Amino acid sequence: MRNPWDLQADRKFSAMHAFGASKAANLLFTYDLARRLAGTNVTVNTFFPGLVKTPLMREAPVPLRWLNPLLGQSPESVAQSLVYYASSPEVQTMTGMFFNKGGKSIASSPYTRDREVQRQLWEASMALAPLAVK
């Protein structure tokens, strides 16, 4: 059965669309999983690193490929921020948050906050890769 979300990009593939869809999925899953794990000692957050100098940008539109070396941050710099969020006592009790490299909690689009969309993505993903946990 074909996935109505086209999570496998069976119908059409575009590198930039796939990249954007994966980032939205990260947010949808973060918020849903944080809610599912409420009351446990497990926290779930997501992180926006900004523009990073990596080969991932080789599929980006030309202007973005030109700007990446000039404005992008080193992977090492971004990794330091990520380690902070993974290990800092300041955020250890925060869950369902979206952080940026600058150390702030940021708001995501209303679409990614929609609980019904989160549930639908969870169900579509479970159909693709069933887990023992529901």
Side-chain angles (χ1 to χ4, degrees):
M1 177 175 167
R2 181 172 278 193
N3 184 333
W5 280 60
D6 197 26
L7 295 176
Q8 303 296 88
D10 290 330
R11 286 175 254 173
K12 182 179 176 188
F13 179 80
S14 155
M16 290 306 290
H17 180 267
F19 179 79
S22 73
K23 300 304 118 191
N26 287 343
L27 289 163
L28 290 162
F29 272 116
T30 295
Y31 300 142
D32 192 49
L33 189 57
R35 196 171 37 262
R36 289 171 186 263
L37 296 174
T40 70
N41 288 327
V42 178
T43 59
V44 183
N45 296 299
T46 191
F47 174 71
F48 174 70
L51 198 55
V52 184
K53 295 177 187 175
T54 68
L56 181 64
M57 297 305 291
R58 71 181 173 271
E59 299 292 331
V62 173
L64 194 51
R65 280 187 298 205
W66 290 340
L67 290 175
N68 190 35
L70 299 172
L71 303 176
Q73 305 165 78
S74 73
E76 295 80 10
S77 171
V78 173
Q80 288 176 348
S81 295
L82 192 53
V83 167
Y84 165 79
Y85 288 118
S87 61
S88 172
E90 293 177 44
V91 297
Q92 73 182 12
T93 60
M94 296 180 181
T95 192
M97 305 296 288
F98 182 26
F99 293 108
N100 69 10
K101 186 178 181 294
K104 297 191 183 319
S105 172
I106 55 179
S108 62
S109 71
Y111 175 78
T112 63
R113 290 285 189 185
D114 186 316
R115 287 184 179 195
E116 179 58 19
V117 175
Q118 294 166 8
R119 186 197 63 73
Q120 290 174 11
L121 178 60
W122 185 277
E123 294 300 322
S125 299
M126 291 299 291
L128 288 170
L131 299 173
V133 178
K134 297 220 182 203

